[in-house]
Amino acid sequence: MITVNDFNGKVKPDWCPACGNFSQLTAIKGALTELQIEPKNTVIVSGIGCSSNLPEFIRAYGFHGLHGRVLPVASGVKWANSDLTVIGYGGDGDGFFEGTQHFFHTAKRNVDITYIVSDNQIFGLTTGQASPTSEIGFVSKSTPDGNIEKPVNPLTFGLAAGATFVARAFSGDPKHLTEIIKRGIQHKGFSFIDVMSPCVTFNKLNTYDYFRKRVYKYEAKDLKDFSAAYRISEEWGDKIPIGIFYEIESKRYEEMDPVEVEGPLVTHPIYSVKDEDLEELV
Amino acid sequence: MFNMSDNEIVFRVAGAAGDGVQSAGLIMAKTFARSGLYAVTYNYYQDIVRGGESWYQVRASPKKVRNQGDGLDILVTLNEDGLVRHTNPNINEGGASSLSGIAIFDESITNYEKQQKVDYRPMPLSTIAGKYSKNPLLKNTVALSAAAASIGIDFEVMAGVIKETFGNKGAVADQNVQAAKEGYDYFKAHYPPYGKKLDFSKRKLYLIGGGEAVGFGAVKGGLKMYTAYPMTPASSCLHYLASHARKFDLFVKVSEDEISAINMAIGGNYAGVRAMTGSSGGGFALMTEAVGMAAMLEIPLVIYEAQRSGPSTGLPTKTEQGDLNQVMGASQGDFLKIIFAPRNVMEAATLTAEALNVAERFQTPVFVMVDLYLAEHSETVENLNFDFRIDRGERPKDGQANYKRYLITDTGISPRAVPGQEGLMHNEDSDEHNEYGDVVSDAVTDPKDRIKMMEKRMRKMQTYINEMPPTETYRADDAEYLVFQWGSTQGVVEEAIDLLRKKNIKVGAVEINRVFPMNPDIGKIIKSRKKIIVVENNYSGQYNSLLKSRFLCQTELITKYDGESFFPGELATSIENAIKR
């Protein structure tokens, strides 16, 4: 029986008090525990940013890599050993600026990874610049006169890319967040969860209060309805929906690749070249 | 001038892109190989799919051949332009010789100035081909078989190669063989044989390209995953691995960019399979950040770097050894980076296999650097299926108590756990970390841990140097003059040395295939020589700079940066001039 304590890392998180990342760490541990996934079979790959420090704070196999490169590493891990539960984790700058192309293509490939983005709509670790999800007019160190660039919508982007599971959650609702992460891990294929996660130090606009006034739980009538998912993904303003917007079953990359389908690559024996393999070169 | 051997044939097929020049050249090379002749090919082509000019050369001999060679005995030309270019005594093809032998071409080509050293052999290539098929490329087969007839190659040998090339059984293969037979007979009926006779034999030879050899060597070295983004000239390896993925049980993926490709390979290695990535200079530039990450997390990684002429897009289909500075300088900070540069096709296979062992044992990035010449030319090799023992490096046992991923050791190497192992969970971090993998850069920077970890990682360099095999030399024992070469120039340098030795010049070579770290034994090798000469296919002499700064020696530099490889006669002259300087 795996308990939440099995996932407790020995290093204490160094995030600012009340940072939205804390509840995500708790939710990830909770979801893994509920699903009885062993720490030894869990790999958490992160990028660079405040949130990306998370692998150090959880007892599992952690990989804290480069800014924006969460998903290629996570894909490599999954393809090497498809028995592992692979979680990609990073911030909005990491995922929607520097890692945009990887997000698009990993979603399209339907690699069986759960990608959780701690979306605080600002650069925290670099002390407060506008991020790809910062709202128009948002004042930051890099946009002293207000942001003039439209924010990216990660959910419609994920849908357009072909993600087979798209959801939004809120760090201020840890129970709901845990449930969504659990569903994301259970989903067979690429699952994307955008977590609205207030940065209490640098983002004075998108605060806990801001979200508490606006978020509501969305229950899809038909999770396979792409148009409905797209419409709900576009809703943002006085009301902000959270929940699973879209989920379909589709073949995973690992099911389609003729070598992957034979089982985890790490279990394949090393190929021993026979002389007859080389006859074509004679 | 230097006299070339009589006991060999230099064959060249010329035409435009889309004419089937390369496949014609390969058919000829394979026919030579099956006739028991050693062969080396040379691929001259442009960055164009149709048109332009291209040619493919094959040098064949019953004795081992080490490069594409000088001279030209037989020219098959598929257009008028090729006939004019390759018979011109003032040929301008990057060092290749003009024809001094026979030219085989379609009889419809009549508009050319006759050259003294050329015997013209017009043939009804298109007419013969037209009897069997409407495909204009069929005339290539007719011309090739005429060339085979001119030097007495057994028609059945050539017919076998043609059949295989065109899918063995079926109408296309039959048409090709029939047309070839008619071309072969036509030549014999109308023209005398070419003046040189070759000793054919039954020896078994494999014909394989450098890029393919890298791929094959990787398979021998236990490769399970290859991730890349297409770029000439790294793609010949990608194509070999992709087309053999099922046979060799390999996962091959072309990803959205080179950044992704290298990070995927790192992920694969981290999770316990042998993974490799590859690109050319421009694509590798995108990979550089991840090189340092692999070193910091101490994850094994082999990077295949196939150089072409730079800077920037440069000459996309031309050779150069101009990426050494880039590879040496890739990624910020100090760390152990091991650079291999195979010197020939066989070594492209063996060193790649070795690179996979070294990467996993030392848990650091290892480069296999080739150039376009090596990646895209073929050589005959014996015993291709070389013996190799895979060494997966130090691994901890499941459940080991108080596991430290980055344990401080005398060698600098720490036992490496992979995901899935019981009780060894840990964090691998691109931030500086301690022995456990815990970050020491965020809340409190610990200078002591930092120093310990830097020194631990750098200690691997001395551990590696201690086990380096001695540097190889060629005719160097009594040499007053020493020529340094690295990578693909081995064959041409050796031949240039042989040519100069015939003139009683005491010259030898140092042949570098393990470029960095540099072997300390080089210091002893260069002692008491009259002159050190460095030969490089680049502008500035990138290896020369390394050599001079490490061993504080004076050198003479010979470079070539027109996009082509050195040719033996030209190089011998350059070395002779450098000696005289």
Side-chain angles (χ1 to χ4, degrees):
Chain A
M1 179 79 184
I2 292 148
T3 69
V4 108
N5 290 335
D6 291 321
F7 288 100
N8 284 343
K10 60 182 176 354
V11 178
K12 282 217 168 88
D14 52 11
W15 297 310
C16 306
C19 172
N21 295 331
F22 282 102
S23 63
Q24 291 173 66
L25 175 61
T26 307
I28 290 170
K29 292 199 281 193
L32 289 165
T33 306
E34 281 186 42
L35 295 169
Q36 290 291 295
I37 294 167
E38 291 187 72
K40 70 165 181 154
N41 291 326
T42 304
V43 178
I44 301 182
V45 180
S46 71
I48 294 292
C50 292
S51 52
S52 289
N53 290 342
L54 181 138
E56 205 191 352
F57 313 136
I58 182 166
R59 187 170 162 273
Y61 281 93
F63 187 112
H64 183 195
L66 297 175
H67 191 57
R69 314 307 168 201
V70 172
L71 292 174
V73 172
S75 299
V77 172
K78 188 70 190 181
W79 289 333
N81 186 352
S82 53
D83 276 350
L84 300 170
T85 295
V86 182
I87 296 173
Y89 187 76
D92 44 307
D94 192 282
F96 314 139
F97 258 169
E98 198 123 333
T100 313
Q101 71 275 40
H102 309 311
F103 178 30
F104 190 89
H105 289 275
T106 312
K108 174 180 78 100
R109 284 179 198 125
N110 202 29
V111 185
D112 192 5
I113 293 169
T114 303
Y115 183 38
I116 302 167
V117 174
S118 175
D119 188 349
N120 58 10
Q121 300 168 270
I122 195 162
F123 280 86
L125 196 59
T126 52
T127 68
Q129 298 84 14
S131 89
T133 48
S134 294
E135 295 184 21
I136 289 182
F138 182 68
V139 175
S140 73
K141 282 182 185 163
S142 64
T143 54
D145 299 322
N147 181 32
I148 56 171
E149 188 175 321
K150 261 201 326 192
V152 70
N153 182 335
L155 301 168
T156 56
F157 187 85
L159 283 168
T164 51
F165 179 104
V166 174
R168 181 190 284 132
F170 171 43
S171 273
D173 189 343
K175 207 173 150 210
H176 180 253
L177 173 66
T178 306
E179 183 58 25
I180 299 247
I181 291 175
K182 195 175 130 192
R183 291 276 301 276
I185 295 170
Q186 281 177 308
H187 174 72
K188 289 190 190 314
F190 184 78
S191 47
F192 168 55
I193 305 164
D194 193 31
V195 185
M196 305 322 297
S197 178
C199 171
V200 294
T201 305
F202 294 109
N203 190 336
K204 304 299 182 195
L205 175 68
N206 310 102
T207 60
Y208 283 103
D209 270 355
Y210 173 95
F211 285 108
R212 284 209 174 97
K213 278 182 199 145
R214 290 169 171 84
V215 296
Y216 73 95
K217 284 181 186 125
Y218 168 79
E219 292 289 339
K221 283 198 191 89
D222 177 8
L223 277 172
K224 295 188 184 77
D225 186 340
F226 184 85
S227 304
Y230 200 91
R231 277 195 304 278
I232 196 69
S233 296
E234 286 200 305
E235 192 176 325
W236 183 275
D238 292 343
K239 290 179 82 183
I240 298 174
I242 57 173
I244 300 166
F245 295 174
Y246 187 64
E247 184 175 15
I248 56 162
E249 266 181 52
S250 181
K251 281 215 162 167
R252 286 164 287 143
Y253 195 91
E254 300 80 68
E255 283 179 280
M256 293 181 287
D257 183 87
V259 174
E260 277 290 327
V261 80
E262 302 293 328
L265 214 50
V266 281
T267 64
H268 293 211
I270 297 290
Y271 187 80
S272 177
V273 179
K274 300 178 280 291
D275 284 346
E276 47 271 36
D277 292 332
L278 302 173
E279 279 308 301
E280 60 174 347
L281 296 166
V282 173
Chain B
M1 270 307 283
F2 298 90
N3 288 323
M4 295 299 141
S5 165
D6 273 344
N7 202 11
E8 65 171 40
I9 285 283
V10 177
F11 164 89
R12 194 181 297 162
V13 52
D19 281 351
V21 169
Q22 195 180 346
S23 69
L26 271 171
I27 288 173
M28 207 63 203
K30 209 156 196 181
T31 304
F32 284 134
R34 287 210 190 152
S35 306
L37 301 174
Y38 296 97
V40 169
T41 75
Y42 192 82
N43 190 7
Y44 181 102
Y45 71 111
Q46 319 296 338
D47 191 21
I48 190 173
V49 179
R50 288 270 189 275
E53 63 132 345
S54 63
W55 50 267
Y56 195 97
Q57 181 162 311
V58 189
R59 181 191 195 186
S61 170
K63 286 187 176 168
K64 284 192 179 163
V65 284
R66 294 170 286 189
N67 58 68
Q68 72 279 13
D70 287 320
L72 176 58
D73 297 288
I74 301 169
L75 173 72
V76 163
T77 181
L78 306 173
N79 60 18
E80 184 184 303
D81 178 62
L83 185 63
V84 174
R85 280 174 188 277
H86 295 275
T87 58
N88 182 355
N90 300 315
I91 187 168
N92 179 27
E93 303 286 314
S97 306
S98 67
L99 180 62
S100 176
I102 61 170
I104 296 168
F105 53 98
D106 191 80
E107 61 189 8
S108 65
I109 299 171
T110 53
N111 184 27
Y112 53 88
E113 189 188 333
K114 286 216 166 177
Q115 302 292 350
Q116 223 187 348
K117 291 184 170 173
V118 179
D119 289 324
Y120 294 86
R121 305 280 188 251
M123 290 198 33
L125 302 177
S126 293
T127 311
I128 294 173
K131 290 187 204 169
Y132 301 97
S133 163
K134 284 181 184 155
N135 183 350
L137 295 188
L138 193 63
K139 76 173 196 300
N140 300 2
T141 309
V142 182
L144 291 178
S145 58
S150 75
I151 45 172
I153 285 176
D154 183 352
F155 178 74
E156 290 310 316
V157 172
M158 169 152 264
V161 176
I162 289 171
K163 261 191 217 162
E164 280 173 29
T165 307
F166 296 98
N168 278 319
K169 283 164 198 161
V172 178
D174 289 347
Q175 288 161 2
N176 272 279
V177 172
Q178 286 158 9
K181 180 77 174 98
E182 197 170 333
Y184 190 89
D185 292 343
Y186 183 97
F187 188 94
K188 282 179 90 171
H190 291 81
Y191 296 116
Y194 182 59
K196 284 187 185 175
K197 270 239 167 243
L198 292 169
D199 301 323
F200 304 121
S201 78
K202 295 270 179 223
R203 72 173 70 83
K204 184 173 183 177
L205 293 169
Y206 299 91
L207 183 75
I208 180 168
E212 294 167 335
V214 167
F216 170 69
V219 171
K220 287 288 292 187
L223 189 75
K224 279 286 160 210
M225 183 186 284
Y226 188 70
T227 53
Y229 187 88
M231 186 167 182
T232 302
S235 298
S236 51
C237 172
L238 167 67
H239 298 164
Y240 179 78
L241 291 175
S243 61
H244 292 73
R246 287 180 125 160
K247 185 186 230 175
F248 294 147
D249 194 43
L250 266 179
F251 177 80
V252 177
K253 181 69 195 152
V254 165
S255 58
E256 59 273 20
D257 55 27
E258 290 86 348
I259 298 173
S260 180
I262 191 170
N263 279 283
M264 283 172 174
I266 289 170
N269 279 311
Y270 164 77
V273 301
R274 284 197 163 174
M276 179 168 109
T277 186
S279 190
S280 185
F284 174 66
L286 295 180
M287 296 183 176
T288 53
E289 189 188 17
V291 173
M293 174 173 74
M296 188 59 153
L297 276 68
E298 303 196 47
I299 293 171
L301 179 65
V302 175
I303 302 161
Y304 171 52
E305 213 271 0
Q307 307 164 93
R308 68 190 211 190
S309 304
S312 195
T313 309
L315 301 171
T317 61
K318 299 292 167 190
T319 199
E320 201 160 274
Q321 297 179 297
D323 293 358
L324 185 56
N325 284 350
Q326 182 186 204
V327 169
M328 283 294 297
S331 241
Q332 65 274 28
D334 288 316
F335 57 90
L336 170 63
K337 187 188 281 169
I338 296 168
I339 304 173
F340 287 170
R343 298 167 297 188
N344 53 59
V345 167
M346 187 64 206
E347 200 168 78
T350 55
L351 265 191
T352 303
E354 185 183 325
L356 285 155
N357 268 2
V358 169
E360 191 151 20
R361 288 184 48 235
F362 290 87
Q363 303 173 28
T364 205
V366 178
F367 289 84
V368 176
M369 283 187 85
V370 305
D371 50 24
L372 182 137
Y373 166 69
L374 183 52
E376 299 205 344
H377 89 272
S378 298
E379 289 177 14
T380 45
V381 297
E382 294 157 297
N383 310 320
L384 180 58
N385 202 9
F386 60 99
D387 290 328
F388 187 74
R389 202 177 67 81
I390 289 170
D391 181 348
R392 304 240 25 203
E394 291 184 41
R395 303 283 282 269
K397 287 206 173 73
D398 281 11
Q400 183 187 305
N402 194 31
Y403 174 65
K404 294 174 176 173
R405 168 65 186 91
Y406 301 109
L407 181 71
I408 305 282
T409 60
D410 290 342
T411 58
I413 297 165
S414 320
R416 186 173 77 96
V418 300
Q421 283 196 268
E422 182 69 57
L424 306 178
M425 287 75 74
H426 64 277
N427 181 44
E428 304 206 0
D429 215 294
S430 61
D431 282 83
E432 187 59 280
H433 40 261
N434 61 20
E435 287 182 275
Y436 292 99
D438 301 333
V439 171
V440 295
S441 69
D442 283 357
V444 185
T445 298
D446 186 330
K448 277 188 194 147
D449 270 335
R450 160 66 176 179
I451 292 167
K452 271 202 265 180
M453 294 312 289
M454 273 305 291
E455 291 178 352
K456 171 200 127 53
R457 285 190 298 267
M458 294 309 296
R459 238 181 347 262
K460 293 193 281 189
M461 185 180 294
Q462 194 54 49
T463 307
Y464 169 74
I465 289 172
N466 290 346
E467 65 168 53
M468 283 181 87
T471 298
E472 287 175 30
T473 57
Y474 182 74
R475 303 183 79 164
D477 289 352
D478 66 337
E480 295 170 343
Y481 308 99
L482 269 190
V483 178
F484 270 79
Q485 68 79 218
W486 67 281
S488 75
T489 54
Q490 180 190 38
V492 72
V493 165
E494 285 187 0
E495 191 161 348
I497 299 281
D498 291 348
L499 292 168
L500 293 165
R501 282 274 178 178
K502 279 184 194 157
K503 298 175 84 174
N504 292 315
I505 298 172
K506 286 191 172 172
V507 59
V510 183
E511 304 181 329
I512 303 295
N513 58 357
R514 291 168 178 86
V515 178
F516 194 84
M518 298 180 97
N519 196 325
D521 70 358
I522 291 171
K524 278 182 215 134
I525 293 169
I526 62 174
K527 258 193 192 147
S528 320
R529 310 282 180 170
K530 281 190 182 163
K531 215 168 229 183
I532 306 294
I533 298 158
V534 181
V535 170
E536 288 187 71
N537 239 161
N538 60 39
Y539 182 89
S540 66
Q542 299 184 2
Y543 181 79
N544 182 50
S545 302
L546 272 183
L547 185 71
K548 289 202 311 192
S549 66
R550 171 69 177 78
F551 295 102
L552 304 173
C553 53
Q554 293 282 325
T555 61
E556 291 280 344
L557 179 62
I558 296 171
T559 61
K560 182 172 180 179
Y561 44 89
D562 64 353
E564 301 307 321
S565 299
F566 290 97
F567 284 72
E570 133 196 283
L571 182 59
T573 305
S574 300
I575 294 171
E576 200 175 0
N577 292 339
I579 287 170
K580 284 183 197 149
R581 268 203 289 274

